[in-house]
Amino acid sequence: MPRRRQSGLLIHITSLPGAYSVGDMGPVAVDFAGHMSRLGFSVWQMLPLTPTAEIFGNSPYCAPSAFAGNLLLVSPDALAQEGFVTQEELAAWFAPSLGRADFASAHSCKKSLLALAWRRFCAEPEKFADVRGEYEAFCAEEDSWLRDYALFTLLKEKFDGAPWAAWPAPYAAHDESALDLLLCEEKEGVDFIRFCQFVFYRQLRALSLRCAECGVTLMGDLPIYIAWDSADVWASRELFDLDEQGFPRGVAGVPPDYFSPTGQRWGNPLYNWERMRADDFAWWRARIAHTLKYFGLLRIDHFRGLCAFWAIPASEPTAVNGEWRQAQGKEMLRAFQKIDWAGRGPLPFIAEDLGIITDDVRDLMRELGLPGMKVLMFAFGGEVDNPYLPHNTEPASVVYTGTHDNDTAVGWWRAGSSVRERINFSLYSGREVTRENAAAVMTRMALSSAAELAVVPVQDILGLDGSCRMNVPSQASGSWQWRLTPQQMKNIAEPGCDFVGVLKELNKIYGRI
């Protein structure tokens, strides 16, 4: 992480307002980057941009690919600007932005518009000659993952969404001769899937460049695990801890903690770390390099899982009966420290080190110079040595009011905090804290801290309550849907005399511009 004081906002692309059922990477995203820059913020933290699935509640942390992009984030307006679709075709999918994402509608919208774009791309070669060259270069450059992802997606459709282990044996076993034959028979379908990924990453690159022009760095988010029913597990079974039929022997999660008395059973397959070590962690290296093509910083989710991970027997319904096992992440990261990642230097990472953290994890972070996360909502239980208290915060860290897994600051004040925490928070801030000013006081506290990077969820600069929370860990459905309304976006774009209006001055006085 660059050693200078900065501040950032946390909001996922799906949470932006817009006309097509879910936020996307189009003009509204570019406008948002401009708004945050004018307020003095220079880092935009997003959640993972990999594909989501309805069966997993559209969680961005359980993806069917570690490399592919989420087509729900493709901008219809950007497609129209390049002549792939018409304004009349867009009008059929217009949906008012009402503060909640409609993933089902967005799926239908993007699938239809991308199909139209593909037909035009194929039918008008002269019009899209330059784009054709970019498309072919993209397919060649990304073939190491794109071919398998396209085949995986095609086979999922062919077999009505069945998991890969239930496909006919040659396909389930990733038999190359069977896949080569399928590639010839279904060339147009495979090429369409490739085209969709090309469009996604072309738009993401454009957004990243426009943000850079505004002085805004994108911070990505790398989930430590991926879904079992994914292209990566299907194509590289040997890298995961699976039985002879291809099913996980154990699954990932965390033991009982602050968020859940029964822990969190994520259900992702565990890695075969010895096998990954044998090829110098090539899959991880490729995954990180791929992500850093578009992001200047990268948060490593559940960082402690690279040192040791909570292994839960696959038959267990909760995360209570698991055990800690050693990973090979220390050796991997020490090797990766020698790499200049996309010209950004060694390890431009932020370690998500919340929860149960042991000395070996802290020692590794210190050795590699990786900043950890400090969440103010965890600071006020009464212990003077609490590492989340601002006076205990080390400069080489990232302070948050809360994360996507926490309630909003207002929600925490009203329902998630104890009486003792509220008293301590008021005493620490030196003023009376109420529901009306809780978010503003906590945001100011984050910006004034010693941490070199302070990140605030957009809900907290607007003082929004717990109904605007992004995620409730272990909740099976209902998360990930929150969106800004057009009026809330206007409040950011044209701040008046409320708290948003003083953010630039706060960023200035605390040395974050």
Side-chain angles (χ1 to χ4, degrees), residues 21-167:
S21 301
V22 72
D24 60 49
M25 298 184 290
V28 174
V30 174
D31 289 344
F32 178 78
H35 302 331
M36 62 180 289
S37 178
R38 284 188 290 276
L39 294 174
F41 295 96
S42 55
V43 175
W44 178 356
Q45 181 178 340
M46 302 172 176
L47 304 186
L49 303 188
T50 43
T52 57
E54 184 178 0
I55 191 173
F56 299 122
N58 293 292
S59 168
Y61 291 91
C62 198
S65 171
F67 294 84
N70 185 353
L71 300 184
L72 296 183
L73 307 182
V74 167
S75 166
D77 289 322
L79 289 176
Q81 288 171 0
E82 294 200 274
F84 284 117
V85 297
T86 68
Q87 291 297 329
E88 290 75 16
E89 289 162 344
L90 292 188
W93 294 102
F94 176 82
S97 186
L98 301 176
R100 303 291 285 180
D102 184 343
F103 293 110
S105 178
H107 176 77
S108 298
C109 168
K110 306 305 169 70
K111 183 177 180 180
S112 174
L113 293 176
L114 284 166
L116 287 170
W118 169 246
R119 288 199 291 272
R120 242 172 229 125
F121 178 70
C122 294
E124 303 179 50
E126 292 185 2
K127 178 179 178 180
F128 297 107
D130 291 343
V131 180
R132 168 68 66 175
E134 293 180 41
Y135 164 69
E136 291 174 352
F138 172 83
C139 291
E141 182 178 346
E142 306 296 340
D143 185 66
S144 60
W145 65 267
L146 185 57
R147 172 185 178 272
D148 280 326
Y149 177 71
L151 289 168
F152 176 83
T153 304
L154 187 75
L155 287 165
K156 288 285 286 184
E157 294 175 355
K158 184 180 181 70
F159 298 115
D160 299 320
W164 61 264
W167 298 344

Side-chain angles (χ1 to χ4, degrees), residues 295-332:
F295 295 94
L297 290 170
L298 190 57
R299 189 191 84 122
I300 307 297
D301 184 54
H302 192 56
F303 180 83
R304 73 103 60 243
L306 295 177
C307 294
F309 55 94
W310 188 247
I312 308 162
S315 59
E316 288 288 331
T318 72
V320 173
N321 296 317
E323 63 176 4
W324 288 108
R325 297 180 187 171
Q326 291 300 306
Q328 300 290 334
K330 294 180 183 180
E331 181 178 341
M332 179 180 75

Side-chain angles (χ1 to χ4, degrees), residues 345-369:
L347 304 182
F349 305 154
I350 291 165
E352 188 272 284
D353 58 343
L354 306 176
I356 301 172
I357 302 300
T358 51
D359 287 341
D360 63 326
V361 179
R362 298 187 187 95
D363 290 344
L364 180 64
M365 291 171 58
R366 192 175 299 110
E367 173 192 336
L368 300 177

Side-chain angles (χ1 to χ4, degrees), residues 155 164-165 167-176 178-179 234-237 245:
L155 287 165
W164 61 264
W167 298 344
Y171 297 138
H174 198 268
D175 181 81
E176 287 294 344
L179 295 177
W234 169 64
S236 303
R237 285 170 56 165
Q245 288 73 43

